[in-house]
Amino acid sequence: MAEPTQKHTRRTPIIGMEVHVELKTASKMFCGCANDPFHAPAPNTYTCPVCLGMPGGLPVANKKAVEWTIKLGLALGCKVALFSKFDRKHYFYPDLAKGYQISQYDQPLCENGVVHTELGDVRIHRVHLEEDTGKLQHTTIDGKRVSLIDFNRSGVPLVEIVTEPDIHSAEHAKAYAKQIHEIVRTLEISDADMEKGSMRLEANISLADDPNVLPNYKVEVKNINSFRFLEHAITFEIARQDALLNDKKIPAQETRGWNEEKRTTIVQRSKENAEDYRYFPDPDLPPMTFDAKYVEKLRAELPMLPEEKIKKLEDLGIKPEFAQLLSSSEFPLSTLETLFTAAKGKGFEPNQVASVIINRKLDIRQVKTEHVLEILANTYTKDEVDPKELESAVSAVLEEQPKAVADYKAGKTQVIGFLIGMVSKKLGKKVSPKLLSSILVRMFSSKY
Amino acid sequence: MGTLNTLTLTDAIRKLHNNEITLDALYADVNSAVSSKNSALNIYLAQDKYAEKSAEKGTLSLLRGVPIAVKDNFLTVGLPTTASSKVLDGFMPPYESTVTSKLKKAGGVIFGKTNMDAWAHGSSTETSDYGPTKNPRNPEHLPGGSSGGSAAAVAADMCIAAIGSETAGSIRQPSAWCGVVGLKPTYGRVSRAGVVAMGSSLDCPGPITKTVEDAAILLNVIAGQDKYDATTSPVQVPDFTKMLKTGVKGVRVGIAYIDHEKLVGTPAAKAVEQAAEVLQSLGAIVDRVPLSQTLKDNTILTPDYAIGVYTVVQRGEVSSNLARYDGIRYGHDRTHFGDEAKRRIMLGTFTLSKGYADKYYVKAQQVRSLYIQNFRQLFSRYDVLISPTSPGYALKLGASKDNPMFGELEDMLEEPSSITGLPGINVPCGHDKKTNLYLGLNIVSAQWNEGLVLRAGYAFEQNTYWNSWLKKDK
């Protein structure tokens, strides 16, 4: 299928997202099995009667997972339910051991939050806790095509974060997903590794003629395992739906999967018929009640979140674009502050420190302060040069490099960088590139 | 051949402890009862060949190695567990249920697995995929169910004591029909871990025994919070044998349900009236609780609505609980489900469906809470409520056929206490000499009040002649 080329539409994209995050608790959601599906020595090793759906196996909720979900909800500005429960969601699939998934239906742990992105706010509809399924593997053994099931992932705690349809572009969706990724990583509740699938993205996409009226269809796109693919998938889907709407067709209500190789979404399942999961409260799990004090205790335990960190950095005089990049948990605020103070002592501004960290991709959790100061010195220290000496050096270089001069005249102005380097080399000193550049330009226009 | 198989659990433990009898002799008598009667009665689906060997290890523990019969829905390592369904034919459990593991730790021996209604769906043991069990008191009659095999094993002295499970009546009703004692504990008192689930919000394992004291001993062993069952309660477990013999003086007894149209003038109603007189003569304060069609203080809500509540809730949970039996990981595929299981799966699936859940499942839960309110009020006024366990004597073989609501109607007197999670006991309270069949008295109390239920049952049993084991002693 050819990729639709039209990138822009007069219609408003209406996008809601569902993000699934596997929590990295020590044990699974409802049993004592190790929660480490990606490092299991062999398939079906981290299993027990509960996560295999054996007769008589009963779930017992993982308290840590509940606590982490509440913390995530708080980090997303949600209201935490003081009464919540687990429900059974029924459907048949070979990787679903019990014939139902333990999830949350009408009383999720957290509701009504908001995530701020540079492209606009995204309201959080709900955050709920459920269990992951096993994994199917379709393969060939002894020439026979077989389907195998690995239950190591069965029962791993899974949080689902659902937004309101507040996202209006592929970039906006990407910014939102990155923000969620960052928050989850800051809370240290998940590896959120999209390649492995411990963070999974889904987007519900439709196009509205009137942005105030929700369209009467939506297309769910799954199998998106990077931020880049998210952007690609949404861009593709907007163009595809726009073309259909231009032809006066309403896109089918369906689930599609993103295929990065073919750069296209492919129909996975029609959603024309409303699914019936026959939800009912899981009688094996008593409802959960929390008091406000407990919720406040969890709130107090929250680490500094990216948004707050950005504000702190900006208060320290860091440019917004740097602050945004440094908000990642890779750059602990305390380490940044130590570096800023040390650099100030040597006459460097915090923004210079920020620039060096970002451009040199420094891992400040590893690199020593002295090393950072050294890099700063090499990058920003300038020697004093006599203007006459400077001019003669420039003249000499221009004489020696006729080809570069010719190139410059032909419009290849980027050779100026090369010439600056040659002058510095001739002088054996570090000279401000700005100054050199202005001298060069002046000499070009007068002499040559 | 001796008669040590007829010993009560209390006596067997005492005699083994005092070296009055040997395990060898006890096992010889139980084994001989099994070999002479099992093929006719169809009680055991599987037996542990090494039972006696295991018994020797338990001689110093509480239960002294006595043979205990266990319903086939408890997972037992080394003994196949099928819940009497062909879907699980030959299934060897990879782990042990909490109840059987507690019994073993206390020196009990899982002697064999008893027949039941397939998946515990029924009140006759006729829906078993392995054929019906017959009532040892009169083999032309049903043993009741679903724990019919366990009740029959006790009645036939083919074990010293047994374990059953009840969703609504499945311990008490077969106990009534077989003339034995059956205790359904408070929901959450005994762990469901390792028990093939039927109605998860109702299921409750419990003892089926020869005497009330036997039931108290077994409840002591199996009760308690379990980290593998989140619905078990941290409520403290008392020693149920301690208060057992303190009598019923001053205990407030309410007579319930005998003014229901189905019971008026029946032998079951008369037996309960006589039982009330016995309790009164022992110092209890006895009063009648009028039946009511609506929720009203000091009246008992008719059990008629409980039939509907129970049917909807239980079928919904059944349809969900049986979803795992897809034949992919273990067991056989769905074509092996019997008719009754299929009916329940379909009805449960329907009542949980979008658009119908509110009409059925949610509605049923609302009515369920009316029963909870009703009992809460009544137990501020009464300590125990008594009623017939079953509307009558054991019915004839074949009675459950072509009657999909057979169990729900037979168990209507247990359903209100089951859907509200209350404890109840069946003790024999009548006997028909012609048929050799029994009537049962159902004694119910408030949550966690098994102690009082046992106490009242013990007082009644010791002062009447209905218990066939105690009669022999007299």
Side-chain angles (χ1 to χ4, degrees), chain B residues 179 278 428-431 433 438 459-474:
Chain B
V278 172
C429 72
H431 180 238
K433 281 193 182 122
Y438 284 79
F460 178 75
E461 172 192 78
Q462 294 296 315
N463 291 284
T464 53
Y465 295 94
W466 308 120
N467 187 304
S468 61
W469 288 275
L470 297 177
K471 203 154 54 177
K472 276 173 200 160
D473 278 357
K474 275 167 191 152

Side-chain angles (χ1 to χ4, degrees), chain A residues 38 82 226 324 335 344 405-406:
Chain A
F38 305 122
L82 297 183
S226 79
Q324 182 72 40
T335 315
K344 212 164 232 170
V405 173

Side-chain angles (χ1 to χ4, degrees), chain A residues 265-281:
Chain A
T265 58
I266 295 164
V267 185
Q268 286 186 331
R269 178 159 62 114
S270 163
K271 281 204 162 180
E272 293 288 326
N273 302 313
E275 281 150 282
D276 190 347
Y277 293 119
R278 308 193 314 277
Y279 281 103
F280 80 102

Side-chain angles (χ1 to χ4, degrees), chain A residues 276-317:
Chain A
D276 190 347
Y277 293 119
R278 308 193 314 277
Y279 281 103
F280 80 102
D282 193 327
D284 291 330
L285 292 158
M288 300 171 280
T289 51
F290 312 99
D291 60 18
K293 242 194 211 161
Y294 170 76
V295 175
E296 285 319 304
K297 186 190 134 247
L298 294 183
R299 193 194 299 277
E301 285 171 16
L302 289 180
M304 184 178 291
L305 295 166
E307 204 175 323
E308 194 187 344
K309 192 169 159 191
I310 290 171
K311 207 180 155 291
K312 284 241 158 113
L313 288 169
E314 288 181 2
D315 288 349
L316 290 168

